[in-house]
Amino acid sequence: MTKRFLAAAAFVLLSSTVSASATDIGATFETTCPFGDCAAGISLSYLGEFVIPTGHMENGVEFGGISGLDFDAATGHYLAISDDRSERGPARFYELNVDLDASGLKSVSVVKQVTLKDKNGEPFAARTVDPESIRLGKDGIYWGSEGDGKALLVPFVRVAAPDGSFVREFKLPEGFAPTADKSTGIRDNLAFEDLAVAPSGDVFVGVEAALYQDGPNPSLTSGSLSRIVRYDGATGEPKAEYVYPVSPIPQAATKADGGNDNGMSEMLALDDHRLLAVERSYAQGFGNNIKIMMMDLTDATDVSAIASLAKNDQRVVPARKSQVLDLRAIGLVPDNIEAMSLGKAKDGTDVLILGSDNNFSTSQKTQFYAFKVLNRPQQ
């Protein structure tokens, strides 16, 4: 879900060089040495945008709320999860056909719609789930529910079969469950937003902004400390936790008394220690800022034994991060980007796909951006 009103130290090495306007197919954007590490270089070439208007219906259910995306090499299609809380239709994910080659992004269409099932084998009841992320794992479809801080609904990560039925659930670490007095745990609408699966099978799950015990939300002058949980994907047991420093809010609202926010809305594993992260901000009267960051967990402190980052006297090294793409800076006008996947185009081209959550709002849209991956980090 979009975070209209939303990590504390954060600095960003901006090393992107823009060679042309991204409104042109083929415009190239290169970050040669993020963190000063030239082996982590990445370069992308713009392949276009495709929009599905709000109100589009599939099988009698409104399409939208796309909050997670992943590529299925077996079918050549993409899995996309909707964050509909079983209100407009049953909680669900889609199989999408993305018509894309080196000449550009031509269309995105629905191949199939799959209903997610609760542990009882039935569709989720209304407002008992908030699907936000999806990845293909070694034994099924990994997906996350953000939970609900107000209703004290715990976030979770589960594994589903291809038909949406329940397989197993990952263990929730201490300190993440919501509390009535807001002393610890997730903030409402700022919880399990991010999910990534590493080549090793480890699973990374991130919260959008700090847990209550870890400090404040982002502001215009300070950031927020988000936790990333590293799981053993095979057992669902937590292995470690790291700090990702979400940046301060980059844009003030242009409306009087308007709200603004910033948070980490998605992650994508490049290897076992480098990930891409989407920092998605919103300012009333202005719109969304979308920045793609690369993070490196090498040498980051395991903070799983630290109950509160705000009340801690131990030395903590956060994940290193470096900006690799600012969508507005390259000439795009992004909506509420919450989904990101590496994949293959029809001609075998390596691609990066971004997708937006339209919040089922007529003032927003389901938007897809595509980039050709010209170069990516080397091990």
Side-chain angles (χ1 to χ4, degrees):
M1 297 291 287
T2 192
K3 311 302 178 287
R4 295 309 198 197
F5 308 103
L6 284 180
F11 67 92
V12 178
L13 283 172
L14 175 58
S15 53
S16 295
T17 57
V18 178
S19 60
S21 167
T23 52
D24 298 326
I25 302 298
T28 300
F29 312 97
E30 182 176 15
T31 304
T32 54
C33 300
F35 339 104
D37 178 6
C38 297
I42 186 169
S43 56
L44 304 168
S45 175
Y46 183 61
L47 290 176
E49 174 188 9
F50 187 80
V51 170
I52 299 176
T54 295
H56 176 76
M57 303 296 288
E58 287 286 342
N59 300 314
V61 178
E62 185 176 356
F63 179 85
I66 300 304
S67 295
L69 190 69
D70 205 28
F71 180 66
D72 185 351
T75 63
H77 294 154
Y78 291 79
L79 301 182
I81 200 163
S82 172
D83 69 0
D84 180 3
R85 300 185 184 191
S86 281
E87 294 177 296
R88 291 170 175 81
R92 60 200 176 276
F93 66 89
Y94 297 95
E95 185 177 327
L96 301 180
N97 179 54
V98 179
D99 189 359
L100 169 69
D101 58 28
S103 66
L105 174 59
K106 299 173 179 63
S107 69
V108 179
S109 58
V110 177
V111 177
K112 184 167 60 176
Q113 176 178 303
V114 179
T115 298
L116 289 163
K117 306 293 197 326
D118 205 346
K119 293 179 179 179
N120 58 12
E122 299 296 325
F124 285 86
R127 299 196 66 81
T128 61
V129 67
D130 184 4
E132 293 286 352
S133 51
I134 190 167
R135 297 288 174 202
L136 275 169
K138 293 183 177 179
D139 62 331
I141 296 166
Y142 296 5
W143 67 282
S145 172
E146 187 168 30
D148 188 323
K150 293 179 180 176
L152 303 184
L153 189 67
V154 297
F156 63 71
V157 174
R158 291 181 179 178
V159 180
D163 65 358
S165 59
F166 173 82
V167 175
R168 62 188 176 97
E169 184 170 335
F170 287 27
K171 181 181 178 180
L172 185 69
E174 293 291 329
F176 283 79
T179 54
D181 63 1
K182 300 180 180 180
S183 58
T184 61
I186 60 168
R187 286 180 159 92
D188 187 53
N189 222 10
L190 293 172
F192 278 8
E193 191 80 22
D194 320 307
L195 182 61
V197 178
S200 66
D202 281 0
V203 176
F204 300 98
V205 180
V207 293
E208 188 166 351
L211 302 172
Y212 276 114
Q213 67 268 32
D214 288 337
N217 285 340
S219 70
L220 289 167
T221 57
S222 63
S224 186
L225 302 180
S226 289
R227 290 198 187 221
I228 295 173
V229 183
R230 185 174 196 148
Y231 283 98
D232 181 318
T235 65
E237 291 288 324
K239 294 174 64 175
E241 293 177 22
Y242 310 106
V243 174
Y244 176 84
V246 175
S247 301
I249 299 169
Q251 173 71 44
T254 59
K255 287 185 174 182
D257 301 320
N260 50 20
D261 62 18
N262 193 35
M264 181 170 57
S265 66
E266 186 57 296
M267 296 187 306
L268 175 65
L270 297 172
D271 52 38
D272 288 333
H273 61 97
R274 300 187 189 102
L275 299 92
L276 295 181
V278 175
E279 288 200 21
R280 181 274 321 279
S281 70
Y282 174 79
Q284 281 189 303
F286 176 82
N288 292 101
N289 268 299
I290 303 296
K291 298 180 180 181
I292 309 299
M293 305 289 187
M294 186 185 294
M295 75 173 91
D296 190 341
L297 298 175
T298 303
D299 299 324
T301 303
D302 178 2
V303 298
S304 56
I306 298 176
S308 168
L309 296 173
K311 300 176 181 178
N312 168 57
D313 56 6
Q314 300 180 48
R315 180 175 181 265
V316 171
V317 178
R320 294 188 300 167
K321 74 172 188 177
S322 180
Q323 181 175 303
V324 298
L325 200 62
D326 179 332
L327 295 194
R328 279 192 176 265
I330 63 173
L332 301 178
V333 183
D335 208 294
N336 180 37
I337 300 294
E338 292 196 1
M340 178 169 56
S341 176
L342 290 168
K344 293 282 187 181
K346 299 297 184 182
D347 59 1
T349 299
D350 291 322
V351 293
L352 177 72
I353 308 292
L354 306 177
S356 73
D357 173 6
N358 69 344
N359 293 299
F360 299 96
S361 167
T362 55
S363 65
Q364 295 180 258
K365 56 193 174 185
T366 301
Q367 176 187 59
F368 295 93
Y369 287 124
F371 295 86
K372 181 179 180 179
V373 180
L374 302 174
N375 181 55
R376 58 177 290 176
Q378 303 299 309
Q379 289 282 17

